[in-house]
């Protein structure tokens, strides 16, 4: 997380380069809010059979899409395979969305059968430790043996007085291959793996994949109006006192608020666990929000260095320096050496997977078995971790990415075998 760019000399909010030839006054740029905006918690568990049966009966009877569990009313919808889960149960007033029953595991086996998402409103009023306990209790309404497995978060910072410069896209350096810029579009749809949100009457910049580390910059005022959450966010922004007069709110109706959002997928958090070391050489272990809290500030700094808005080849932009130095989500853990590291399979392990997979698909081709049946058989083999390593896929979000890679691979190989006469 080391920043290799030169830093500006700083006098409060005035930034000057070392020669004194350039300076920026950022006194009008104010941080109105910083914190976790989105939390997605994965659990290993076994769904309760009577809950699944009730959901199936509702579907068959085309009943009203509501179920009451634990004294809480949940609106139920069926989900698509792309989400990795069969059911979505939500009560936004209570603050939760529950995704239940993985498409890629049997209902009676312990697997990543549940993901709980928490609303921003719930996050803002909750103590992290108490929230983790409450989420487990919510999970126990739907499943048994509920064990936190992995967590994904969005860290958000809302700024007043920051106008997106015309050169922003050109001068933002990042490792991400995917970059998007959207201007004045009222409604649009993209593959959600590529771009997560587009808001009208403004500009949205998105860099990176939703399945990794993603950065998004957009007009939060416009988005809040569009989603009918402007009242909630105005109350939140209005709680920030003015620097000039602590009895006056920094935010005033009509102010435009820009949001910088760093989105960490489950797999990115896991990579930090694989590669990071503590002051005593211990390994980083993050399975829920409470584990993550001490590392949020450092993760924010990592992301800000991963996506850097440059002033020049030598200096990052003063706005970026201010956000690196001033933003503290929670008191940071000290003396940790942070490093992302994917677990790579050994050469022999990769070779064994390749031989097994190749021979299996060839046998399926000879029997005339179709793509879907072949993929389902492979996914039920119990070798998901080895297969994910072989394909370089993530395994922390319902195995959706592995399923996509595997389907593409099997479809191509079955077709090749049939064309070459292997299936005859």
């Amino acid at each position: 997380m080391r920043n290799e760019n030169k830093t500006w000399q700083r006098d409060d909010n005035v930034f000057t380069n070392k020669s004194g030839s350039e300076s920026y006054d950022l006194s009008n740029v104010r941080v109105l809010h910083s914190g976790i905006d989105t939390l997605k918690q994965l659990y290993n568990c076994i769904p309760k059979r009577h809950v699944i049966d009730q959901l199936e009966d509702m579907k068959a009877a085309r009943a009203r899409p509501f179920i009451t569990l634990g004294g809480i009313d949940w609106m139920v919808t069926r989900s698509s395979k792309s989400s990795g889960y069969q059911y979505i149960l939500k009560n936004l007033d209570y603050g939760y969305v529950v995704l239940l029953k993985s498409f890629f595991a049997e209902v009676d086996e312990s697997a990543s059968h549940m993901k709980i998402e928490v609303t921003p409103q719930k996050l803002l009023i909750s103590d992290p430790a108490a929230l983790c306990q409450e989420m487990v209790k919510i999970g126990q309404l739907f499943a048994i043996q509920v064990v936190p497995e992995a967590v994904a978060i969005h860290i958000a910072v809302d700024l007043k007085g920051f106008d997106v410069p015309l050169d922003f896209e050109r001068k933002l350096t990042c490792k991400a291959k995917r970059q998007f810029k959207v201007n004045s579009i009222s409604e649009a749809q993209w593959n959600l793996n590529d771009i997560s949100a587009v808001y009208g009457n403004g500009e949205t910049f998105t860099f990176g994949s939703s399945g990794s580390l993603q950065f998004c910059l957009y007009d939060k005022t416009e988005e809040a109006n569009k989603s009918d959450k402007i009242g909630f966010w105005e109350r939140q922004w209005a709680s920030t006192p003015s620097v000039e007069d602590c009895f006056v709110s920094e935010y005033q109706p009509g102010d435009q608020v820009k949001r910088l959002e760093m989105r960490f997928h489950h797999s990115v958090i896991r990579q930090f666990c694989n590669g990071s070391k503590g002051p005593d050489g211990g390994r980083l272990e993050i399975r829920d929000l409470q584990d993550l809290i001490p590392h949020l500030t450092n993760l924010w700094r990592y992301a800000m260095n991963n996506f850097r808005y440059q002033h020049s080849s030598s200096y990052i932009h003063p706005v970026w320096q201010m956000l690196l130095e001033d933003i503290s989500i929670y008191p940071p853990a000290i003396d940790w050496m942070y490093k992302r590291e994917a677990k790579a399979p050994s050469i022999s392990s990769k070779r064994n997977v390749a031989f097994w997979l190749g021979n299996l698909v060839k046998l399926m081709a000879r029997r005339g078995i179709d793509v879907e049946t072949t993929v389902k058989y492979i996914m039920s083999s119990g070798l998901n971790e080895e297969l994910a390593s072989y394909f370089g896929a993530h395994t922390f979000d319902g195995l959706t990415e592995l399923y996509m890679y595997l389907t593409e691979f099997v479809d191509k190989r079955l077709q090749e075998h049939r064309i070459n006469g292997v299936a005859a």
Side-chain angles (χ1 to χ4, degrees):
M1 282 197 273
R2 188 176 303 153
N3 181 11
E4 298 177 354
N5 290 266
K6 295 179 182 177
T7 56
W8 299 75
Q9 296 175 347
R10 184 174 181 180
D11 181 10
D12 195 12
N13 287 319
V14 176
F15 294 76
T16 307
N17 64 2
K18 291 184 179 179
S19 67
S21 60
E22 292 183 274
S23 66
Y24 284 82
D25 187 347
L26 301 183
S27 299
N28 291 327
V29 179
R30 301 289 193 215
V31 175
L32 300 179
H33 165 73
S34 64
I36 306 171
D37 179 70
T38 298
L39 172 68
K40 301 177 182 181
Q41 175 69 58
L42 285 178
Y43 294 96
N44 271 350
C45 61
I46 301 175
K48 291 182 177 178
R49 175 63 71 173
H50 76 272
V51 173
I52 299 299
D53 289 345
Q54 191 172 349
L55 295 174
E56 289 292 339
D57 290 344
M58 289 173 60
K59 174 191 171 187
R62 297 185 178 181
R64 292 179 70 241
F66 294 97
I67 186 174
T68 301
L69 292 171
I72 304 170
D73 295 327
W74 302 91
M75 187 171 73
V76 183
T77 56
R78 293 277 295 188
S79 184
S80 65
K81 208 160 197 174
S82 61
S83 75
Y85 298 89
Q86 292 184 17
Y87 300 99
I88 300 175
L89 301 98
K90 65 180 178 180
N91 185 319
L92 299 185
D93 184 57
Y94 199 67
Y96 294 109
V97 177
V98 179
L99 287 82
L100 184 66
K101 175 57 184 73
S102 171
F103 273 108
F104 312 115
E106 296 300 322
V107 69
D108 57 353
E109 67 175 297
S110 181
S112 297
H113 278 298
M114 184 164 55
K115 177 165 66 173
I116 298 181
E117 301 181 2
V118 186
T119 64
Q121 294 89 333
K122 182 74 173 180
L123 284 165
L124 281 170
I125 63 173
S126 300
D127 170 75
L131 180 62
C132 289
Q133 294 175 6
E134 185 175 292
M135 290 172 68
V136 170
K137 289 180 180 178
I138 291 294
Q140 290 170 343
L141 298 176
F142 303 93
I144 61 173
Q145 299 180 19
V146 177
V147 179
E149 173 61 23
V151 63
I153 55 158
H154 297 177
I155 303 176
V157 172
D158 294 340
L159 295 176
K160 168 189 170 181
F162 175 58
D163 297 321
V164 181
L166 294 176
D167 64 358
F168 182 80
E169 183 182 18
R170 179 172 60 86
K171 288 191 173 182
L172 190 85
T173 63
C174 60
K175 298 177 182 178
K177 296 179 181 178
R178 293 171 175 169
Q179 300 181 17
F180 306 89
K181 177 183 177 183
V182 183
N183 297 309
S184 300
I185 293 179
S186 59
E187 185 175 356
Q189 291 183 344
W190 271 264
N191 183 332
L192 291 183
N193 287 325
D194 290 337
I195 184 166
S196 56
V198 176
Y199 306 120
N201 300 324
E203 290 186 344
T204 294
F205 295 87
T206 301
F207 299 85
S209 166
S210 60
S212 184
L213 175 59
Q214 188 177 69
F215 163 56
C216 193
L217 170 63
Y218 57 95
D219 190 323
K220 183 61 181 177
T221 315
E222 291 289 342
E223 185 275 333
N225 276 307
K226 188 177 179 68
S227 62
D228 199 26
K229 296 292 192 297
I230 188 64
F232 168 80
W233 283 111
E234 283 190 329
R235 288 191 297 274
Q236 180 64 30
W237 297 330
S239 66
T240 303
S242 170
V243 175
E244 285 77 19
D245 186 348
C246 64
F247 296 103
V248 176
S249 171
E250 182 62 52
Y251 173 81
Q252 296 297 320
D255 287 344
Q256 293 298 112
V257 179
K258 300 293 185 182
R259 169 163 289 189
L260 287 84
E261 199 165 284
M262 298 298 180
R263 300 166 177 173
F264 292 81
H265 189 264
H266 309 93
S267 59
V268 176
I269 304 297
R270 183 62 65 193
Q271 288 169 1
F272 276 112
C273 291
N274 292 338
S276 303
K277 299 293 182 183
D280 57 355
R283 184 172 175 268
L284 185 60
E285 189 70 29
I286 297 175
R287 294 191 177 274
D288 61 16
L289 176 61
Q290 195 169 2
D291 294 336
L292 187 60
I293 286 294
H295 306 284
L296 285 173
T297 297
N298 287 327
L299 290 181
W300 167 259
R301 292 169 183 167
Y302 172 89
M304 289 295 292
N305 275 307
N306 192 78
F307 302 100
R308 291 196 308 272
Y309 176 40
Q310 298 286 143
H311 172 267
S312 65
S313 59
S314 300
Y315 286 89
I316 59 172
H317 197 278
V319 168
W320 236 242
Q321 181 175 330
M322 182 190 75
L323 292 171
L324 275 164
E325 294 175 350
D326 292 0
I327 299 300
S328 182
I329 312 300
Y330 284 91
I334 59 174
D335 296 332
W336 275 83
M337 294 290 293
Y338 292 92
K339 180 182 178 183
R340 286 172 64 182
E341 184 175 291
K343 276 191 173 180
S346 65
I347 295 176
S348 61
S349 173
K350 206 166 184 178
R351 187 184 299 118
N352 289 334
V353 171
F355 285 152
W356 172 77
L357 198 56
N359 290 331
L360 178 63
V361 174
K362 184 179 289 188
L363 289 171
M364 294 292 192
R366 286 177 177 171
R367 293 287 301 274
I369 297 174
D370 61 24
V371 174
E372 184 175 355
T373 303
T374 302
V375 172
K376 186 176 181 180
Y377 180 84
I378 295 170
M379 293 287 287
S380 66
S381 66
L383 298 175
N384 290 334
E385 186 174 340
E386 289 79 4
L387 288 165
S389 295
Y390 179 77
F391 286 107
H394 303 310
T395 59
F396 307 111
D397 200 4
L399 300 176
T400 304
E401 189 172 348
L402 173 59
Y403 181 86
M404 293 168 58
Y405 279 123
L406 193 56
T407 301
E408 183 180 356
F409 173 85
V410 170
D411 185 41
K412 182 178 179 182
R413 290 294 183 270
L414 286 179
Q415 186 177 18
E416 288 176 353
H417 288 321
R418 290 178 183 125
I419 291 173
N420 289 326
V422 174

